[in-house]
Amino acid sequence: MNFDRNTVIGFVVLALLFFGYFYFNNQQQVAYQKQKLQQDSVAKARQPVPVVPAPQRQDSITKDTTQVPSIPGDLRQFATGTETITTVDNGVVKIVFSNKGGQPKKVELLSFKKPDSSIVQLASTDFDRIDYKIITTQNATADISNLYFSGGEVSQNADGSKLVTYTLNSGGKTITHQFVMKPNNYLVDFNVQLNGVNELVSNNTLNITWQNKALALQKDVKYEREQSSVNYFAADDFDYTSAMSNDKVDFEKGVKWVSVKQQFFNTALIAKNNFSSGTIDWTIPEATDKNTVVQATANLKMQLSPTANAATVPMSLYYGPTDYKILKQYGIELEDMVNLGSGIFAFVKYINRYIILPVFDFFTGFTKNFGIVILLLTLFIRLLISPLTYSSYLSGAKMKALRPEIDQLKAKYGTDQQQISMEQMRLFREAGVNPLGGCIPGLLQIPIFFALYSFFNSNVALRGQPFLWADDLSQYDTIWNFGVNIPLLGDHLSLFTLTAVLTSFLISIYSMSMTPDQNNPVLKYMPYFFPIILLFVFNGLPSGLTWYYTVSNIITLVLQFVIQNYIINHDKILAKIEVNRKKPKTKSKWQERIDQMQQQQKQMQVQQGKNKK
């Protein structure tokens, strides 16, 4: 390997990392999704279709519109009734409660809007519900969601919180649902109170079913699905699974909470005393469904006291943004679901938590123009890594100073690349130049980029924030809608992506001008292919990230020009190289191994040449 090609090596590694991280990961998810959809379709097609006589079909139609659930026992009276709703607004959340099932029916987040300017809604479909079965007679049960409660009035507590209470009372057995909404708080306390436990539930176990259907809240539902997940905190540990596939998770130990997380919002069910066990499973939507992100069902067990006739099950419901600071204040590890770093780059979440996020919040205290905030954040990061940047440019200047001697080696040895490589290594060692000096600093900056990738994809503060031509910094900007989907590129073209690609291309041109000429055409032109790869990688990413990359590239170009022309003294560099040449040289074990490998390769080439003759 010719280590004077350090800049080229850096570009190649970056290209492979970017392309591999974004493209192959997404393609595997899409392939898996298509496979599951195909399997589901085949399974459905193979199911026998029951032949229903004509009179029975007519009865089904009647039942669908008029049937009342058949509930024996003294709770039958609650199977019929008139649905009444109660609306409570605490400043950030508006919840519509229904007496049917005594639970939330619709939730609106007052501070957030969808791309069509309507209010963001969570847990507001017919699928969404909280349910559990209660005993009605010795051999029959009923779903609580089918019963009509009394109550629903709103009262206000001394601390300003609002209380909504629903009650079922029959034959000395009482079921109460109590909801407490605190001012400007996304967490709603939900208490289930049972009086007559032994007559209402079996084996002193309350089996709670929680269903949630997440609808698209971003303009690109495919990308939103890729950023969504099912999260849970069980057995004293947080975990999550991508929402891009049908799956199921079994909980054998205590479950603190389960959550369906979309890109920027989530709905969660929390047990203050932990569920004892349970499962959660979810399905991805059919290919024709362009509005559903994921649909999940959790079945959770709550063990009640075997001796008490009355029991209270304290729970909470979270309807709100997946905001790190908001979730952290509740002290139950909800903030872990904010994807600030995952996979092989999971460690970058600490960069986000303790550096990027605090600095970002600091700059928002000066301006609410988030494009300017990103610019200031970029300047801060570039200042933070300036020692690495200077080291890289200094290494490039040393390589440039050696270019005449490298050209002489190429002229002397012609096409003998192995000999040229060996002589270059000797030249670098004599001059005290590290051939990887310009590559390593760039590679060390890769974690920062992936930290920012996670940050911009999960920071709800950017959602809906315009800047220049971009309507929403949390989404890609569009200057041209193709009308068709182009493989790898998508159905649009982003202007911020173009600015990022153009500035990256200018950096490639400048960097190659500082690098010795390459005889290998692949290595020679690879740096120019890298910006083209970025075009396909960046086109679907948030415009906030591509704006950051554009600003960072512009700073790089300016620094390169200023440092190379006004800060680095090339005469001093040459003088220092000459001083280094006069010092006694010792080889490290690594250098010795490299020299041995090169010598062996040289001998093999000579032998192959003799054999051909």
Side-chain angles (χ1 to χ4, degrees), residues 391-408:
S391 174
S392 176
Y393 294 160
L394 183 60
S395 178
K398 291 179 179 179
M399 296 292 291
K400 185 177 181 180
L402 293 175
R403 176 177 291 186
E405 296 183 56
I406 294 174
D407 291 339
Q408 291 176 8

Side-chain angles (χ1 to χ4, degrees), residues 503-566:
T503 51
S504 295
F505 188 75
L506 294 176
I507 291 174
S508 296
I509 294 175
Y510 189 90
S511 297
M512 289 304 292
S513 70
M514 302 294 295
T515 304
D517 294 333
Q518 302 294 332
N519 295 322
N520 188 325
V522 175
L523 294 176
K524 183 176 182 179
Y525 295 107
M526 176 58 74
Y528 303 115
F529 297 148
F530 179 64
I532 298 176
I533 294 175
L534 290 183
L535 175 65
F536 294 96
V537 172
F538 281 7
N539 199 47
L541 297 186
S543 54
L545 180 59
T546 48
W547 164 236
Y548 161 84
Y549 205 79
T550 299
V551 174
S552 182
N553 284 346
I554 293 173
I555 294 173
T556 296
L557 288 168
V558 173
L559 287 177
Q560 282 181 334
F561 179 80
V562 172
I563 291 176
Q564 295 289 355
N565 291 278
Y566 297 101

Side-chain angles (χ1 to χ4, degrees), residues 58-96:
Q58 182 62 40
D59 291 343
S60 297
I61 295 173
T62 303
K63 289 178 181 179
D64 287 343
T65 56
T66 63
Q67 183 187 23
V68 174
S70 177
I71 299 177
D74 54 3
L75 292 175
R76 178 178 176 82
Q77 58 180 312
F78 302 111
T80 59
T82 301
E83 183 178 23
T84 59
I85 61 174
T86 300
T87 302
V88 182
D89 179 345
N90 72 348
V92 293
V93 178
K94 182 168 73 173
I95 301 181
V96 176

Side-chain angles (χ1 to χ4, degrees), residues 425-433 577 580-582 585:
M425 288 298 296
R426 180 187 61 78
L427 176 63
F428 294 151
R429 187 164 56 250
E430 289 180 354
V433 175
I577 288 176
N580 288 332
R581 278 178 167 156
K582 297 176 181 179
K585 301 296 187 298

Side-chain angles (χ1 to χ4, degrees), residues 140-294:
T141 61
D143 293 328
I144 201 71
S145 61
N146 291 326
L147 303 180
Y148 289 86
F149 284 68
S150 61
E153 295 81 9
V154 181
S155 59
Q156 187 157 330
N157 298 322
D159 61 357
S161 61
K162 297 178 181 179
L163 175 66
V164 181
T165 304
Y166 291 99
T167 304
L168 287 179
N169 193 338
S170 178
K173 295 175 293 185
T174 305
I175 303 172
T176 302
H177 289 181
Q178 185 182 75
F179 299 89
V180 180
M181 293 180 62
K182 299 176 183 178
N184 301 309
N185 200 315
Y186 294 101
L187 196 68
V188 179
D189 288 334
F190 170 40
N191 300 313
V192 175
Q193 298 172 349
L194 304 176
N195 187 24
V197 171
N198 296 331
E199 298 179 71
L200 291 172
V201 298
S202 300
N203 301 319
N204 300 102
T205 303
L206 189 65
N207 297 297
I208 298 176
T209 298
W210 178 72
Q211 295 183 180
N212 181 254
K213 184 175 184 179
L215 300 181
L217 299 174
Q218 308 299 114
K219 66 179 180 181
D220 187 344
V221 64
K222 177 178 177 294
Y223 193 76
E224 186 175 5
R225 286 170 182 161
E226 293 171 1
Q227 301 297 319
S228 299
S229 59
V230 175
N231 301 260
Y232 34 89
F233 196 97
D236 296 322
D237 192 23
F238 165 78
D239 205 352
Y240 73 97
T241 307
S242 170
M244 288 290 288
S245 61
N246 301 328
D247 210 340
K248 181 179 180 179
V249 176
D250 294 315
F251 306 118
E252 297 180 356
K253 295 183 179 180
V255 182
K256 183 178 292 185
W257 52 262
V258 293
S259 172
V260 174
K261 183 192 81 70
Q262 296 170 248
Q263 183 174 6
F264 294 114
F265 302 96
N266 81 88
T267 304
L269 175 65
I270 304 154
K272 295 182 179 179
N273 297 328
N274 287 6
F275 300 106
S276 57
S277 61
T279 64
I280 184 168
D281 61 89
W282 59 96
T283 57
I284 55 176
E286 298 289 338
T288 55
D289 188 346
K290 304 298 183 182
N291 193 39
T292 303
V293 175
V294 65

